[in-house]
Amino acid sequence: WIKTLFILITMFISLLLFSAPPIFVSIADAILPSAFLSAALSPPPSSLNFQTHLNTYDFRRSLFDVPLISIIRSAIILCVYSLCDGPKLSRGPYLAVATVCSAASLVFVSLKAPYIFIISGGGGGDNSAYGKTMEAAVFVSSLGLAIGHVAVAYRTSCRERRKLLVYKIDIEAVSACKNNFPRYQKILQQARTK
């Protein structure tokens, strides 16, 4: 059982190291804006529930939608990341979805910020300096993590492209010795047709 536990722990650490940036950015994106919003609200968050927020929702005054957008964005990006393998990570579906989701949420948050801070003079939280700072932190964290998703997706895409380039070079190196390895001629022809 010690060997089995060691292998499971090693596999889990390997998974975290391989998938750490997208997973950590998604977790931070789901948690940080929500934590800042709960700190910004003047009534205790336990007295407000999801139905109350939906019934009293106003685009110009409510901050409830900013963390909700962040959670939806991180869930979509994480689902696409988990469905993609090496070639799909390198060619663009993950990077494209991360860019589109982040751009859409950036536009939404950028349109909402003037209503909250300039037009209405504050959101649903209290009007103290602490409350306004936490409201600003909700927006800044959402904007920063949207940009972080795109940066992590771009780095992941570049890393996968480099891996595929190394594999391509290896196939060509083996094909140089085709007399010694006749089976790899078929692999090389399949690689060239792709």
Side-chain angles (χ1 to χ4, degrees):
W1 67 269
I2 292 175
K3 289 180 182 178
T4 305
L5 185 63
F6 175 75
I7 289 173
L8 288 175
I9 290 172
T10 306
M11 288 173 59
F12 181 71
I13 291 172
S14 173
L15 175 68
L16 283 180
L17 290 177
F18 179 72
S19 303
I23 290 174
F24 288 146
V25 170
S26 295
I27 290 171
D29 196 17
I31 292 175
L32 280 179
S34 301
F36 288 135
L37 178 65
S38 66
L41 293 175
S42 58
S46 60
S47 66
L48 296 173
N49 59 18
F50 186 74
Q51 188 64 32
T52 306
H53 283 295
L54 285 178
N55 291 338
T56 61
Y57 177 74
D58 183 14
F59 178 79
R60 296 168 293 178
R61 292 187 183 90
S62 178
L63 288 174
F64 176 69
D65 50 357
V66 176
L68 189 62
I69 292 291
S70 295
I71 291 169
I72 292 169
R73 172 182 64 212
S74 59
I76 291 171
I77 291 172
L78 195 59
C79 285
V80 171
Y81 175 76
S82 64
L83 293 175
C84 290
D85 58 351
K88 289 181 185 173
L89 284 175
S90 68
R91 282 192 216 119
Y94 170 58
L95 179 60
V97 168
T99 304
V100 167
C101 288
S102 295
S105 62
L106 281 172
V107 168
F108 179 82
V109 171
S110 298
L111 290 175
K112 187 172 182 69
Y115 282 107
I116 295 293
F117 294 113
I118 298 170
I119 297 171
S120 68
D126 64 26
N127 290 324
S128 67
Y130 176 76
K132 291 197 180 287
T133 303
M134 288 298 114
E135 288 174 3
V138 170
F139 284 98
V140 170
S141 65
S142 182
L143 291 170
L145 289 167
I147 295 169
H149 276 296
V150 175
V152 166
Y154 179 73
R155 288 182 52 88
T156 303
S157 175
C158 290
R159 182 185 70 218
E160 292 299 321
R161 255 186 258 126
R162 281 193 302 270
K163 282 183 185 178
L164 290 176
L165 182 62
V166 168
Y167 294 146
K168 181 179 177 183
I169 291 170
D170 286 344
I171 289 174
E172 291 173 353
V174 170
S175 70
C177 303
K178 60 183 169 186
N179 294 335
N180 295 334
F181 301 105
R183 196 180 97 184
Y184 287 103
Q185 185 65 27
K186 184 177 180 182
I187 295 173
L188 178 63
Q189 289 173 353
Q190 291 174 351
R192 286 181 180 163
T193 58
K194 291 180 183 177

